Structures are given as C-alpha cells and as structure tokens.
Amino acid sequence: QAQLVESGGGLVRPGGSLTLSCVGSGATFDSSYIGWFRQAPGKEREAVSCSGRRGAYVHYGDTGRFTISRDNAKKTVYLRMTNLTPDDTGVYYCASGSRMCSADGAQFGSWGQGTQVTVSP
C-alpha cells in the first residue's frame, strides 16, 4: 500500500490561506486517485477534493475557495485553500485509491496521518 504524508497545516487567521501537501510513495502513485478529506471536531469526516488521472479533479461541497493540483514527478498532491473561515478548521487527510474519485472514504485504501488546520482570529 502507498504511504502518504501530509504537511502544511497550521494556525491561520480568517481570510488567510494555506497550501497542504500530500507526498506519496510507490510505483503506482501516478495512476492513483488522491483525495483530500477533513474532519472537524465533533463532526463526521467529509470529502473536500480529489485528484484523478490525466489532470482530472473534483471538488466536493462549497469549496470553490480550494484548488487541487498534482506533481507526479514529486509524487505530491497539493490543496491550496484561500479565504479560510473558522468552519474550515479540522484535521485534513489525504488518501490514495485505485478505483475512482469519490466522496466515500471507503474507496481509498491508504491514508495519511493528517495535518491540523486551525482558523482562528
């Protein structure tokens, strides 16, 4: 299974921006679907965005402020988040799957440990 490591989280003020990185491993990274999920305190995990093959991507929910991108040479998927609000606070996870982009986390077999994003004045 692929190993994934997230980074880039931190404390940011409302209106600020962050770029999260998800670095993967393994020979199949290029053909993997990489999803970003988040879990806010006391809430269920929710899908944020997903990077598919050949540049395809999908955003879930009201995340027009987020941009997902991918650099297969670096085995890295990025999540650029702008105009952050306190509702964006949570632990952000990336996950790898071989089937499809999906809001269902069960479609992804490998998960990173997560990176904390806190949006607070």
Side-chain angles (χ1 to χ4, degrees):
Q1 284 187 332
Q3 290 187 331
L4 303 169
V5 178
E6 305 95 335
S7 64
L11 174 64
V12 63
R13 291 179 176 166
S17 301
L18 282 175
T19 298
L20 307 183
S21 299
C22 172
V23 179
S25 63
T28 60
F29 182 88
D30 291 9
S31 60
S32 296
Y33 296 87
I34 305 296
W36 280 100
F37 294 78
R38 68 184 180 187
Q39 187 163 21
K43 295 185 178 180
E44 293 187 355
R45 183 180 63 197
E46 64 176 348
V48 175
S49 188
C50 181
S51 170
R53 299 172 179 173
R54 293 183 290 275
Y57 65 90
V58 61
H59 292 304
Y60 303 99
D62 181 19
T63 54
R65 299 171 288 114
F66 295 178
T67 303
I68 192 169
S69 61
R70 183 175 189 145
D71 186 339
N72 283 332
K74 296 182 178 180
K75 296 189 186 296
T76 302
V77 174
Y78 304 95
L79 183 69
R80 173 69 175 170
M81 307 185 295
T82 62
N83 196 22
L84 287 162
T85 75
D87 288 341
D88 295 315
T89 294
V91 180
Y92 284 69
Y93 301 90
C94 66
S96 173
S98 60
R99 292 185 176 182
M100 66 178 73
C101 274
S102 173
D104 181 3
Q107 296 295 327
F108 298 84
S110 298
W111 291 77
Q113 294 299 308
T115 185
Q116 175 71 46
V117 171
T118 302
V119 185
S120 180

